[in-house]
Amino acid sequence: MYDFVYSAPAAHVIFGKGTIHQLPAEISRQNLKAPLILSTPSQVFHAENLVKVLNGKVAGTFNEAAMHTPSHITEKAVDYAKAQGADSVISIGGGSTIGLGKAISLRTGIPHICVPTTYAGSEMTPILGELKDGVKKTINDPRVLPGTVLYDVDLTMSLPSELTSYSGVNAIAHAVESLYNRDTNPVTTMYAREAIRNLATALPELVDNPMSETARSNALYGAWLCSACLANGGVALQHKLAHTVGGSCKMPHAETHTILLPHSIAYNSPKTPEAMKILAEVLPGSDGDPIKGLNVLLAKLKVKKALKDFGMREEDIDRVAKIAVSNPYWNPREIEEGPLRETIRRAWAGEEARADL
């Protein structure tokens, strides 16, 4: 056994099927009266459903949450929350909406309740990434952690197959990095094993049978564990690259994570033998090689494998590499611009990851 430090997240978690109907009781438990409901423009129907569940007892709805939490949207939402007299925020959706809820809560001090509808994993973490002037900056602050997270399997049943795959691999990225981050500990390692095993099994099944309640439940359970890993295990190269590419190239978050994950694992593999061993055990089709296992998983999910498919230009490669090198997160392997640039190039081109750098 090695020395470690573990801090348990303080969030109150409600997990199950049909749990959205427990929301009025949760609001009452916290003595709240006027929650502001948050969503993206494309998920207004989720916000409207919450208003019905709460019998219209809300401060209002704000439906402009956007990818990467742009600061100007946050400022507008904060002004609206104050004008409406909101005493709390309820974010329903994926990482974009949850990020906005975190940003509002941080600036105002009002409680934040999350209702995730994807597997993104932001809901259990004290991490907030915000985009300002074309640069995405990330903070880690206990005040950002939502107080309550309500997981309802029913809300994921209509998640499109493609989004299911990208969001699920995004979640896996959180668990992977907890295996070799400097804050690695036995608890998050246990979570990561269970999380990756559940998602790696459930996600391919959902490609063929998206209405499988068992697979949906297992995927959401795995995603919760992944987010707990992220909350306790910290982040490294994978998240640095995803934040840099996403913020500077205006790329979709989950898709960027999905494409980069096998490449960041390959980059770090020489310095993370124990993590590679665990990943090989929980990724089907690995045959002892977790990079192969992840490539197999992505093939089963039929996802795109090239950053260029989502708008990143070849001339962005050098700029992204320089940004990542200039202000790196902690990483088990030293960040070297040459090998890192080639890692990014391979992800841009859609080549299969390989550990030869």
Side-chain angles (χ1 to χ4, degrees):
M1 181 62 69
Y2 52 88
D3 296 344
F4 67 91
V5 175
Y6 172 72
S7 298
H12 179 65
V13 175
I14 302 170
F15 187 102
K17 181 176 167 56
T19 53
I20 194 69
H21 297 291
Q22 296 183 38
L23 187 56
E26 177 59 22
I27 289 175
S28 178
R29 183 183 74 86
Q30 296 189 41
N31 295 316
L32 302 173
K33 304 293 184 184
L36 174 64
I37 312 300
L38 307 176
S39 78
T40 60
S42 64
Q43 294 191 313
V44 172
F45 65 97
H46 276 316
E48 292 173 344
N49 184 47
L50 283 192
V51 173
K52 292 178 182 178
V53 169
L54 296 173
N55 294 317
K57 297 177 181 179
V58 302
T61 60
F62 185 88
N63 309 127
E64 299 178 38
M67 186 171 60
H68 304 305
T69 319
S71 59
H72 71 280
I73 296 292
T74 298
E75 291 163 6
K76 183 177 180 180
V78 167
D79 289 343
Y80 181 72
K82 291 178 178 178
Q84 295 296 110
D87 63 2
S88 55
V89 287
I90 302 176
S91 58
I92 182 163
S96 297
T97 309
I98 292 169
L100 178 59
K102 287 180 172 183
I104 295 172
S105 180
L106 178 65
R107 286 164 171 77
T108 64
I110 61 178
H112 180 195
I113 298 172
C114 286
V115 185
T117 61
T118 72
Y119 308 127
S122 172
E123 64 275 0
M124 287 292 294
T125 78
I127 300 169
L128 171 63
E130 296 185 275
L131 185 65
K132 186 174 183 179
D133 299 327
V135 178
K136 188 170 184 178
K137 295 184 178 180
T138 302
I139 64 168
N140 190 321
D141 188 320
R143 295 174 299 168
V144 170
L145 182 69
T148 297
V149 183
L150 191 153
Y151 292 97
D152 189 337
V153 176
D154 288 345
L155 295 179
T156 67
M157 294 301 294
S158 60
L159 198 63
S161 179
E162 186 176 59
L163 181 54
T164 293
S165 296
Y166 285 121
S167 182
V169 180
N170 181 12
I172 289 174
H174 306 328
V176 167
E177 289 220 306
S178 75
L179 291 173
Y180 54 66
N181 191 272
R182 61 180 167 183
D183 297 323
T184 293
N185 60 75
V187 178
T188 54
T189 296
M190 176 179 63
Y191 284 176
R193 283 179 183 270
E194 180 76 357
I196 298 169
R197 194 190 310 275
N198 271 272
L199 279 163
T201 302
L203 292 176
E205 181 177 346
L206 289 171
V207 171
D208 299 322
N209 185 12
M211 297 304 291
S212 168
E213 289 189 2
T214 299
R216 286 289 180 191
S217 181
N218 289 341
L220 191 59
Y221 172 64
W224 165 58
L225 291 174
C226 287
S227 64
C229 289
L230 179 60
N232 290 281
V235 294
L237 178 63
Q238 167 69 16
H239 285 76
K240 179 62 181 181
L241 288 180
H243 293 161
T244 302
V245 171
S248 63
C249 301
K250 296 181 172 58
M251 299 278 286
H253 184 72
E255 291 84 342
T256 300
H257 260 299
T258 298
I259 293 168
L260 286 169
L261 185 57
H263 297 280
S264 64
I265 290 175
Y267 182 94
N268 281 326
S269 61
K271 298 293 183 180
T272 56
E274 288 302 314
M276 295 303 102
K277 180 180 178 182
I278 292 171
L279 288 174
E281 292 172 357
V282 296
L283 287 170
S286 291
D287 296 329
D289 179 1
I291 302 169
K292 175 186 175 183
L294 194 52
N295 284 330
V296 168
L297 175 61
L298 297 186
K300 289 179 180 178
L301 300 183
K302 303 174 184 176
V303 295
K304 294 178 180 178
K305 298 182 180 180
L307 294 174
K308 64 181 181 181
D309 290 338
F310 292 97
M312 183 176 172
R313 303 168 302 172
E314 188 171 8
E315 53 265 36
D316 292 328
I317 295 172
D318 285 329
R319 181 167 60 90
V320 167
K322 290 184 183 301
I323 294 173
V325 169
S326 67
N327 185 26
Y329 297 170
W330 181 93
N331 195 62
R333 176 182 171 182
E334 182 182 356
I335 302 299
E336 304 170 79
E337 186 169 344
L340 184 62
R341 186 200 181 281
E342 174 60 13
T343 297
I344 297 167
R345 188 204 64 76
R346 291 175 181 180
W348 170 82
E351 297 176 9
E352 284 207 340
R354 52 192 188 276
D356 60 354
L357 294 175

